């Protein structure tokens, strides 16, 4: 009788220990689940659709300051701006501030190492992913639009192919300006190693996004730096993969590589297709601009 009582007590203690073990094991899972659900709910209900911009090589996070000022002044808008610089040790410094209730703020991501070259661009794509995750975690938006100037467009492409795998987050529109998908190569039949690498992973490009590629034709064959054929090579990556692909050519005295983002043609395109999500507004100053050549 005494042995049976001891056995029952032992079994009872064993059950209690097992119960405590599963409770302790379940607490972190419960906390993680609640936190994850809260994050997803916050993201789902977020009214924010930011515009995230990456400058080209040798440019800092201040590259688009004049563009933002022009947009705010020309259209009577009040977009705030937060600038991030990712350092070579993966740390981030911040400048600026997002205004409360701003549903379309600008984020600009620059790099301490902003040098040209394929190996550097791949590093910058990895650093951009660090910055993107930081702002995604902080602001919990569920969709965004994007701009890449020059090599900034290459960074966007590498990011989309290698790191953008969040099924709860959508990129609506991507606009690149003077992006050299084939570097200095003018003949689109001659693919550089970078272009071949980007083509291999083209199936990772989101198929629900709209992509606009702007090429300058100051000298009819290039924008003074990037050949038209190199910009056009983006079609091998995005055409028939993105929902819509459009190549736009800019002409005139501000069709030069570095000047394009200050041209009236570009500002009109940027405002209508990135800030306005491609929705035509007959009352907007954009509707009064001349038609642009596109294909």
């Amino acid at each position: 009788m005494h042995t049976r009582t001891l056995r029952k007590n032992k079994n009872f203690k064993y059950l209690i220990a097992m119960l405590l073990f599963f409770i302790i094991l379940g607490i972190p899972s419960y906390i993680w689940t609640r936190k994850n659900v809260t994050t997803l709910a916050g993201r789902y209900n977020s009214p924010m659709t930011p515009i995230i911009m990456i400058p080209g090589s040798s440019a800092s996070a201040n590259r688009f300051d004049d563009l933002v000022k022009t947009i705010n002044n020309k259209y009577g808008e009040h977009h705030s701006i937060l600038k991030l610089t990712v350092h070579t040790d993966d740390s981030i410094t911040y400048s600026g501030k997002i205004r409360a209730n701003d549903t379309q703020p600008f984020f600009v991501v620059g790099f301490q190492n902003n040098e040209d070259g394929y190996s550097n661009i791949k590093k910058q794509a990895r650093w951009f992913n660090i910055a993107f995750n930081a702002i995604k975690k902080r602001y919990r938006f569920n969709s965004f639009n994007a701009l890449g100037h020059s090599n900034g467009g290459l960074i966007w492409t590498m990011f989309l192919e290698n790191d953008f795998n969040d099924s709860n987050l959508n990129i609506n529109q991507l606009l690149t300006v003077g992006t050299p998908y084939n570097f200095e190569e003018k003949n689109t039949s001659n693919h550089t190693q970078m272009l071949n690498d980007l083509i291999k992973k083209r199936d990772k490009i989101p198929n629900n996004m709209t992509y606009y590629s702007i090429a300058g034709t100051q000298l009819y064959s290039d924008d003074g730096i990037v050949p038209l054929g190199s910009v056009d090579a983006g079609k091998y990556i995005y055409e028939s993969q993105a929902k819509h692909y459009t190549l736009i050519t800019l002409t005139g005295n501000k069709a030069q590589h570095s000047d394009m983002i200050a041209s009236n043609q570009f500002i009109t395109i940027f405002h209508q297709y990135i800030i306005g999500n491609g929705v035509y507004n007959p009352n907007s100053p954009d509707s009064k601009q001349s038609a642009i050549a596109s294909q």
Side-chain angles (χ1 to χ4, degrees):
M1 193 77 175
H2 180 68
T3 302
R4 185 180 299 174
T5 302
L6 288 175
R7 187 178 299 163
K8 286 183 177 179
N9 289 339
K10 186 176 181 180
N11 290 339
F12 180 74
K13 290 178 180 178
Y14 177 77
L15 289 173
I16 292 296
M18 288 295 293
L19 182 61
L20 289 173
F21 173 77
F22 284 116
I23 289 174
I24 293 171
L25 188 67
I27 287 174
S29 298
Y30 173 77
I31 293 172
W32 181 88
T33 302
R34 285 292 302 271
K35 183 179 179 181
N36 197 44
V37 168
T38 301
T39 299
L40 290 175
R43 187 184 294 178
Y44 179 78
N45 294 319
S46 174
M48 181 185 286
T49 303
I51 294 97
I52 306 174
M53 307 191 288
I54 307 176
S57 293
S58 301
S60 72
N62 300 320
R63 179 68 175 92
F64 301 111
D65 286 1
D66 289 342
L67 173 63
V68 175
K69 289 178 184 177
T70 299
I71 290 291
N72 284 338
N73 291 335
K74 180 176 181 177
Y75 296 95
E77 298 172 351
H78 305 283
H79 303 278
S80 52
I81 181 170
L82 180 65
K83 293 174 282 189
L84 298 80
T85 299
V86 189
H87 297 266
T88 53
D89 63 358
D90 295 351
S91 64
I92 304 173
T93 54
Y94 298 82
S95 174
K97 184 179 181 181
I98 300 302
R99 191 184 70 255
N101 301 318
D102 188 352
T103 58
Q104 281 189 309
F106 291 104
F107 293 98
V108 182
V109 180
F111 311 98
Q112 180 185 18
N113 170 6
N114 57 11
E115 298 303 313
D116 199 359
Y118 189 23
S119 61
N120 276 325
I121 294 168
K122 287 190 285 188
K123 292 176 184 177
Q124 290 154 9
R126 187 183 71 80
W127 288 322
F128 174 73
N129 186 44
I130 293 172
F132 184 86
N133 285 330
I135 58 178
K136 179 180 72 172
K137 181 179 180 181
R138 171 65 180 84
Y139 294 96
R140 299 183 180 182
F141 48 88
N142 54 39
S143 66
F144 64 97
N145 293 323
L147 169 68
H149 180 236
S150 192
N151 285 352
L154 297 177
I155 295 169
W156 268 117
T157 305
M158 292 178 191
F159 168 75
L160 293 175
E161 291 188 344
N162 297 303
D163 298 302
F164 184 64
N165 55 3
D166 191 335
S167 60
N168 298 297
L169 190 59
N170 292 321
I171 174 170
N172 300 322
Q173 328 276 343
L174 169 63
L175 172 64
T176 62
V177 188
T179 294
Y181 288 103
N182 209 21
F183 280 140
E184 292 84 16
E185 180 59 56
K186 297 179 180 180
N187 188 344
T188 55
S189 298
N190 298 328
H191 292 186
T192 61
Q193 182 61 53
M194 182 183 69
L195 179 57
N196 283 329
D197 291 344
L198 295 175
I199 292 172
K200 286 177 184 176
K201 295 184 178 181
R202 68 187 301 272
D203 62 320
K204 302 296 183 182
I205 297 292
N207 56 18
N208 61 345
M209 63 171 274
T210 296
Y211 174 54
Y212 304 97
S213 176
I214 294 181
T217 56
Q218 184 189 37
L219 302 175
Y220 301 102
S221 61
D222 58 53
D223 61 14
I225 295 179
V226 178
L228 177 59
S230 184
V231 178
D232 184 44
K235 66 187 177 186
Y236 298 119
I237 303 164
Y238 287 95
E239 197 169 40
S240 300
Q241 178 60 32
K243 182 171 65 175
H244 300 293
Y245 164 80
T246 304
L247 175 67
I248 302 168
T249 55
L250 295 190
T251 59
N253 60 1
K254 284 194 175 180
Q256 199 271 342
H257 187 75
S258 298
D259 294 340
M260 279 191 286
I261 62 172
S263 74
N264 289 330
Q265 284 180 305
F266 168 77
I267 291 169
T268 297
I269 294 166
F270 177 73
H271 188 267
Q272 181 172 342
Y273 292 107
I274 299 302
I275 297 177
N277 284 300
V279 178
Y280 179 73
N281 178 3
N283 298 316
S284 168
D286 294 339
S287 64
K288 300 178 177 63
Q289 299 292 329
S290 343
I292 56 175
S294 65
Q295 68 181 43

